[in-house]
Amino acid sequence: MFTTDAAAEEFEKERNNRGRRLGIRTSMDFSGMLIDAYRTMDQLQQHAVLETMMNVADVAHTMQSFSIFCKWNRRLYKEFYVAHLNERLSFDPEESWYENQIGFFSHYILPLAGKMKTCGVFSTTGNVFEYFAMENKKRWIEEGEVISEEIIRDVKKEVEREQRLANGTLSNGCH
């Protein structure tokens, strides 16, 4: 019998004896032993809530007022645009910026806001995350094309000006 066969057989016995299987709560270390990642279901739930809250914190601007969303959306676009100019981003953020924001709301933000509502940590206040996310998506669909054009135009001008200042080809008004 090969060593791997023996290890597999031992693993199978261990698994059958304990009636456990690999998953979210149970993992296997490098030696093949089963370990409990969470001792109780409460620990697993606490971890899931904290992870959700951290994900929300990363994109909190999408679940606040529309003006806050637009402010941070512009900053994100500028970060992507400069990265693209410096060949640190493989795609041009100008292409489909408006449409990509709608997809981001549909496939990431709204499900995440729903998780915050469902987990119940914030009681009825959890509804606010979902409400603002839905309202911001709705307004972006209505106004986002024009806002995207403004953001793209303004960021290009701002970056060009910053580059000219950095290269010394534009006076900054100081003598």
Side-chain angles (χ1 to χ4, degrees), residues 136-170:
N136 285 342
K137 179 185 176 189
K138 180 180 168 189
R139 282 194 65 186
W140 186 259
I141 289 169
E142 295 168 1
E143 304 170 41
E145 269 188 285
V146 172
I147 293 169
S148 291
E149 290 170 5
E150 291 172 3
I151 288 172
I152 291 166
R153 182 191 65 235
D154 294 348
V155 165
K156 281 183 177 182
K157 286 180 184 177
E158 183 179 329
V159 169
E160 285 175 15
R161 185 175 190 285
E162 289 170 356
Q163 288 174 337
R164 290 195 317 261
L165 269 173
N167 294 333
T169 58
L170 179 68

Side-chain angles (χ1 to χ4, degrees), residues 3-174:
T3 312
T4 53
D5 291 341
E9 187 177 307
E10 187 63 32
F11 167 73
E12 192 62 33
K13 280 183 194 173
E14 176 73 19
R15 195 175 90 175
N16 290 336
N17 289 342
R18 292 188 186 180
R20 296 166 54 197
R21 57 191 181 113
L22 298 179
I24 294 172
R25 289 187 59 196
T26 306
S27 301
M28 186 185 322
D29 67 13
F30 290 119
S31 70
M33 297 299 297
L34 296 179
I35 56 174
D36 286 322
Y38 304 98
R39 290 191 178 105
T40 66
M41 194 56 114
D42 284 345
Q43 287 179 331
L44 175 61
Q45 289 171 337
Q46 290 167 356
H47 182 92
V49 168
L50 286 174
E51 185 175 324
T52 300
M53 290 172 69
M54 289 173 33
N55 289 337
V56 168
D58 190 40
V59 293
H61 68 285
T62 63
M63 299 178 203
Q64 296 179 40
S65 71
F66 192 69
S67 62
I68 296 292
F69 165 69
C70 289
K71 173 184 173 179
W72 287 98
N73 188 279
R74 181 189 184 286
R75 290 178 178 183
L76 178 63
Y77 177 81
K78 182 179 179 185
E79 181 181 334
F80 282 9
Y81 179 71
V82 169
H84 179 68
L85 289 178
N86 293 316
E87 298 178 353
R88 291 188 323 245
L89 189 64
S90 61
F91 65 92
D92 184 351
E94 183 176 345
E95 296 173 14
S96 305
W97 185 257
Y98 164 74
E99 295 85 0
N100 289 341
Q101 299 307 300
I102 295 169
F104 188 58
F105 270 106
S106 297
H107 301 289
Y108 185 74
I109 299 303
L110 290 173
L112 184 59
K115 280 185 185 179
M116 284 302 294
K117 178 182 171 183
T118 302
C119 76
V121 173
F122 295 103
S123 185
T124 56
T125 307
N127 298 344
V128 173
F129 296 105
E130 190 173 51
Y131 171 79
F132 274 115
M134 289 188 311
E135 285 299 307
N136 285 342
K137 179 185 176 189
K138 180 180 168 189
R139 282 194 65 186
W140 186 259
I141 289 169
E142 295 168 1
E143 304 170 41
E145 269 188 285
V146 172
I147 293 169
S148 291
E149 290 170 5
E150 291 172 3
I151 288 172
I152 291 166
R153 182 191 65 235
D154 294 348
V155 165
K156 281 183 177 182
K157 286 180 184 177
E158 183 179 329
V159 169
E160 285 175 15
R161 185 175 190 285
E162 289 170 356
Q163 288 174 337
R164 290 195 317 261
L165 269 173
N167 294 333
T169 58
L170 179 68
S171 171
N172 63 7
C174 298

